[in-house]
Each structure stands twice: as structure tokens, then as C-alpha cells.
Amino acid sequence: PPALQYDMERMTNAEAVLLPVDEWDVDTAQWFKLVVRGDAADLAAIRPLVEARFGDALEYSTSSPSFYELQAKGCTKASAMRLVADHLAVETGHPFLTVAVGDHENDLPMLTAADLSGSPANALDAVKASTHFHLCHCDEGAIADLIEQLAAHLGVEM
């Protein structure tokens, strides 16, 4: 496919090789994420096949209708957020309130792990259902909207 050819031509790691799926070693591989790009209907058709093949050995999600993501087990936005928050708590001696914003399936673990979370108006319905704050569309200033709503929620005057 042209998208894959485009990506492969720009690879900078001469050691990187895309092996046939039967040769993937998901238990010892040193990788974090594989993004499969394509038509939404095609990705929806291959998703159950991939997930049946690898079971719970990987994390699976979509980040848009045309991006299907496979990640190393435990490697999610939630685990990264927790790692940063824990590191900052150790460095400063103070716990941190975690706040996350997301719009798609790949954001769900982070949104549910965050102390407070928001979703823009253009988010998937499942994402909106999992968040504390419903924000304006991401193109209309969702982060500014989040800051205003957080301030109101925390009783801080702006």
C-alpha cells in the first residue's frame, strides 16, 4: 500500500524489519507500538483476527478510524501518565493530581486512570461517557475550556 511504502522509505533505523506476523516474539521483543494505517472497514475486519492470534499478550486500540494500534502489554498512556506522576511526586515530595484529555479509544485507559478527565465534543461517545468534563470541540479550544472548568471545579478564580 502507498501509505506503508511512504512510511518505510522514511525509516531511519537500518535494523528495523517488518517480520511476518507468525514470527513476532511478543514476549521478548523490544518494541512499544505498531500502528497499522488503512481504510476503517479493512481495519475493523482485521482487528478480530489479530486479537484472536495474540490474545492478551498485547494492548489493542484505535486512535482514529484509520489507525489501529498494537502496543506492548502494559504500555499505554495510562502507564506513562502514572510513571511521570510518581516520578514527580518522589522528586518534589508532593503527590500530583493527574488530569487527562482524550478523544479516542487509545485514550480510555489514561482517562479512567486520571484523577480528573475531559473529552472534547468530537470525542467518541464511549470516551465522553468515561470523563468528568465535557469540553468544546478540539478545534475550538478544548484545553482552554478544560482549564476554565477545572478552575471552577476546584474553586479557583480566574
Side-chain angles (χ1 to χ4, degrees), residues 39-64:
D39 176 75
D42 291 341
L43 295 178
I46 68 164
R47 183 175 183 163
L49 303 173
V50 171
E51 293 178 19
R53 166 65 174 84
F54 293 105
D56 65 358
L58 300 172
E59 304 283 347
Y60 310 96
S61 66
T62 56
S63 54
S64 81

Side-chain angles (χ1 to χ4, degrees), residues 147-158:
I147 293 168
E148 290 175 2
Q149 289 192 45
L150 278 174
H153 177 77
L154 299 171
V156 176
E157 289 188 39
M158 293 189 58

Side-chain angles (χ1 to χ4, degrees), residues 87-106:
H87 172 76
L88 291 172
V90 168
E91 291 294 315
T92 65
H94 301 287
F96 276 76
L97 178 75
T98 56
V99 179
V101 175
D103 63 352
H104 219 279
E105 180 187 13
N106 65 323

Side-chain angles (χ1 to χ4, degrees), residues 5-58:
Q5 181 65 34
Y6 175 86
D7 291 344
M8 295 299 285
E9 288 172 359
R10 280 148 188 79
M11 290 180 64
T12 58
N13 182 351
E15 300 291 318
V17 176
L18 187 58
L19 298 173
V21 71
D22 289 339
E23 295 179 32
W24 291 5
D25 182 358
V26 296
D27 295 322
T28 61
Q30 296 296 308
W31 63 282
F32 299 101
K33 180 187 260 186
L34 172 67
V35 178
V36 181
R37 298 190 321 176
D39 176 75
D42 291 341
L43 295 178
I46 68 164
R47 183 175 183 163
L49 303 173
V50 171
E51 293 178 19
R53 166 65 174 84
F54 293 105
D56 65 358
L58 300 172

